[in-house]
Amino acid sequence: MKRTFLLVLLAFLATAAFPQGKDFLLLKRGANQKTQIRYYPGEEITYKSKKLGFYVTDVITELDENFIYLRENIVAPADILEIDIRKKDPRNGTLKALNALVLGAGVILVSVEAINGLYQRSELSIDDGVGVTSAILIGTGLALLPVRYKTFKHKGSNRLQIVMMRMD
C-alpha cells in the first residue's frame, strides 16, 4: 500500500515538475511586457488579412511555426494586417473604469446638490461652483469614451509572433 502511494506521489511530482507548455500567439509592441497580448488556442480572434481586406472573427484551433489554424481558415502571421484588441487588452479595462469613475462622480455630484437644494430650500437649485465642477467631470467622462486601444497594427515595431512552448 505504501509503495503504490509513493509511486503515485512520485509520478505526480514528476509530471508537476515538468509541465507541458502551451503555445500562444504573441502581439508585441516594443520590449515592455505590459503591452504584450497573448492569444491561446480556443480563444476568439478578430483580424484583418491582406487577402480579405475586412475583419473576420474566428477561433484559434492550433498554432504551427508558420501558420495559425483557425476554425474556418488558415492564415500566416505575415498576412495579418490588424487585430481587433478591444476585448483582449487589459489596459482597456483600466480606461473603462476611469471613465465610469469620472462620469459617475459628475452625475452623483449634481444629483446630491439637487437633492440637498430640495431638502434645505424646498426648491430645485444647483450652486454655480457645483454645476461647473459636475459639468467638467461629465464632459471629461464623455471625452474619454472614444479613448481606447482598438486595433493592433502589424507594422513598424509591432510584431506578431507564434511562440511554441512544447517540450518535445
Side-chain angles (χ1 to χ4, degrees):
M1 177 73 177
K2 288 183 181 180
R3 283 186 181 173
T4 57
F5 178 73
L6 287 175
L7 285 174
V8 170
L9 183 65
L10 186 62
F12 176 73
L13 289 176
T15 58
F18 300 107
Q20 294 294 317
K22 208 171 185 189
D23 303 337
F24 57 89
L25 178 67
L26 181 67
L27 311 180
K28 191 172 185 180
R29 180 177 288 142
N32 191 358
Q33 227 177 4
K34 290 183 180 180
T35 59
Q36 295 178 359
I37 300 172
R38 295 178 181 189
Y39 282 93
Y40 293 97
E43 288 186 323
E44 191 174 83
I45 185 169
T46 302
Y47 66 96
K48 181 179 182 181
S49 70
K50 292 178 184 177
K51 297 175 184 175
L52 297 176
F54 55 88
Y55 284 97
V56 177
T57 301
D58 209 344
V59 176
I60 299 172
T61 56
E62 187 180 342
L63 296 169
D64 193 357
E65 292 179 8
N66 300 320
F67 295 103
I68 303 167
Y69 296 97
L70 304 165
R71 193 174 283 163
E72 297 181 13
N73 200 3
I74 298 173
V75 66
D79 291 340
I80 294 177
L81 295 175
E82 297 178 19
I83 296 178
D84 186 1
I85 58 170
R86 285 176 231 199
K87 296 177 186 173
K88 189 71 175 169
D89 197 348
R91 297 174 295 172
N92 281 342
T94 305
L95 287 172
K96 186 177 179 182
L98 177 68
N99 189 19
L101 181 69
V102 172
L103 271 173
V107 170
I108 288 173
L109 183 62
V110 76
S111 300
V112 166
E113 179 64 22
I115 292 169
N116 193 21
L118 280 173
Y119 180 72
Q120 287 183 353
R121 294 181 291 277
S122 298
E123 64 182 49
L124 182 63
S125 64
I126 297 173
D127 188 44
D128 290 339
V130 173
V132 168
T133 304
S134 64
I136 289 171
L137 286 169
I138 291 171
T140 303
L142 292 174
L144 284 175
L145 277 175
V147 178
R148 302 265 166 84
Y149 296 97
K150 295 175 181 77
T151 60
F152 178 87
K153 295 182 179 168
H154 189 201
K155 65 178 181 180
S157 65
N158 296 345
R159 290 193 316 251
L160 191 65
Q161 293 178 285
I162 296 175
V163 178
M164 307 297 282
M165 299 291 289
R166 295 187 187 146
M167 302 185 71
D168 294 332

